Amino acid sequence: MSGYRSFVALGDSFTEGLNDPGTEGNFRGWADRVAERLAELDPEFRYANLAVRGKLIDQIVEHQVPAAVEIRPDLVSFCAGGNDLLRPGSDPDRMAKKLAGAVRDLRATGAEVLLFTGVDPRDTPIMRRARGTFAIFYLHVRSIAELYGCRLVDQWSMQGLRDWRAWSDDRLHMNEEGHRMVAAKVCEVLGVGSDDDWRRTWPPRDRVDPRLRRREDLRWVREHLGPWVVRRLSGRSSGDGLDPKRPVLKPLS
């Protein structure tokens, strides 16, 4: 028995599971993988995933957190802020205050709360320029976890996630291998174990010609980053009109 008979996952595309292919057109992702492990330990386990791609921290706090408070599960995961931090002028201090208030409300229900730092963006073109802003927010997340007695998943320390083989072509979302590693880390933090190891060491890669790398970076900007920026400038989101994939707390089967 894990002690967790119900789990609600809150957040954006990371928690929805992009780009880890699932069934029936949905994505699987780390949260589904963790839920599957918890279900193995308790036949009465129930799971809901309210995460929707593209959501900002204010939207998650306004819509998803009250739903989780009403459901009152044993375990709530809350990972948010990545979409905010990618926007010019983002304020990590204001974001942290929003997060702290939400965590306080969730903890008041008696739920165990799982928080996340993000991955170090030092190896990501464009995003590495905002590395200091990312670091400030994730230091706040650490402090909030300590203050409210939450469990913390530190992705910043997961060196295996700094390899591009853990990411999909858009460089913004993990692939199956990345989600598998995160799920293994979450299971370890929750004390339930798993068959996978988050301390993955990738085999050496052939050296890439710097000219080819630059061409790949330019293609990434054109095909992935550019459209993302256009959506943000126009006030649109990839999650507009989408509903959560598992809005109701229910068994996996």
Side-chain angles (χ1 to χ4, degrees):
M1 297 286 287
S2 69
Y4 302 114
R5 304 187 70 181
S6 53
F7 170 33
V8 174
L10 312 179
D12 51 29
S13 58
F14 170 63
T15 302
E16 184 184 346
L18 276 69
N19 283 320
D20 181 6
T23 59
E24 299 181 358
N26 291 321
F27 292 104
R28 191 180 181 190
W30 70 266
D32 285 17
R33 292 174 179 276
V34 170
E36 291 161 11
R37 174 58 180 147
L38 295 177
E40 291 176 352
L41 300 173
D42 191 329
E44 298 186 9
F45 174 80
R46 295 173 299 155
Y47 169 53
N49 190 319
L50 309 184
V52 177
R53 67 196 73 173
K55 296 305 179 183
L56 302 171
I57 194 168
D58 286 355
Q59 296 170 314
I60 295 168
V61 170
E62 179 181 358
H63 299 292
Q64 298 179 27
V65 171
V69 169
E70 183 175 352
I71 294 172
R72 302 180 74 86
D74 296 329
L75 175 67
V76 178
S77 68
F78 189 165
C79 185
N83 291 315
D84 300 77
L85 291 168
L86 288 171
R87 294 190 169 202
S90 61
D91 185 346
D93 299 322
R94 188 202 69 81
M95 292 166 55
K97 289 182 180 179
K98 200 78 173 182
L99 176 65
V103 169
R104 183 175 61 247
D105 292 343
L106 292 168
R107 289 289 284 148
T109 69
E112 187 88 75
V113 175
L114 188 70
L115 298 179
F116 295 73
T117 72
V119 179
D120 187 348
R122 64 180 292 181
D123 304 311
T124 309
I126 309 299
M127 289 169 59
R128 59 174 166 249
R129 298 178 182 177
R131 190 183 185 208
T133 303
F134 279 79
I136 290 171
F137 178 65
Y138 296 138
L139 282 173
H140 279 308
V141 172
R142 283 181 166 277
S143 297
I144 292 167
E146 179 72 21
L147 179 63
Y148 292 103
C150 304
R151 295 182 182 269
L152 180 68
V153 178
D154 182 12
Q155 296 184 92
W156 195 281
S157 67
M158 295 177 66
Q159 296 299 304
L161 291 179
R162 290 180 54 193
D163 192 291
W164 286 120
R165 284 169 285 187
W167 296 81
S168 54
D169 289 342
D170 66 10
R171 305 186 185 182
L172 297 172
H173 301 101
M174 295 176 189
N175 59 24
E176 177 182 347
E177 292 304 315
H179 280 284
R180 188 185 300 275
M181 291 169 63
V182 173
K185 177 70 170 180
V186 172
C187 286
E188 180 179 286
V189 170
L190 295 178
V192 297
S194 74
D195 294 332
D196 295 313
D197 186 0
W198 63 267
R199 298 175 183 83
R200 174 160 185 172
T201 300
W202 296 91
R205 300 184 68 175
D206 295 334
R207 184 178 181 276
V208 178
D209 188 304
R211 293 170 297 179
L212 176 59
R213 186 180 297 276
R214 284 193 293 271
R215 287 199 296 269
E216 290 178 345
D217 289 345
L218 289 173
R219 182 168 60 85
W220 171 72
V221 170
R222 182 177 64 255
E223 295 182 1
H224 298 289
L225 181 62
W228 185 91
V229 171
V230 170
R231 285 200 304 272
R232 292 300 175 271
L233 293 176
S234 63
R236 294 181 291 114
S237 167
S238 58
D240 288 346
L242 294 181
D243 295 322
K245 65 180 184 180
R246 291 183 62 91
V248 178
L249 192 68
K250 61 181 181 180
L252 284 178
S253 57

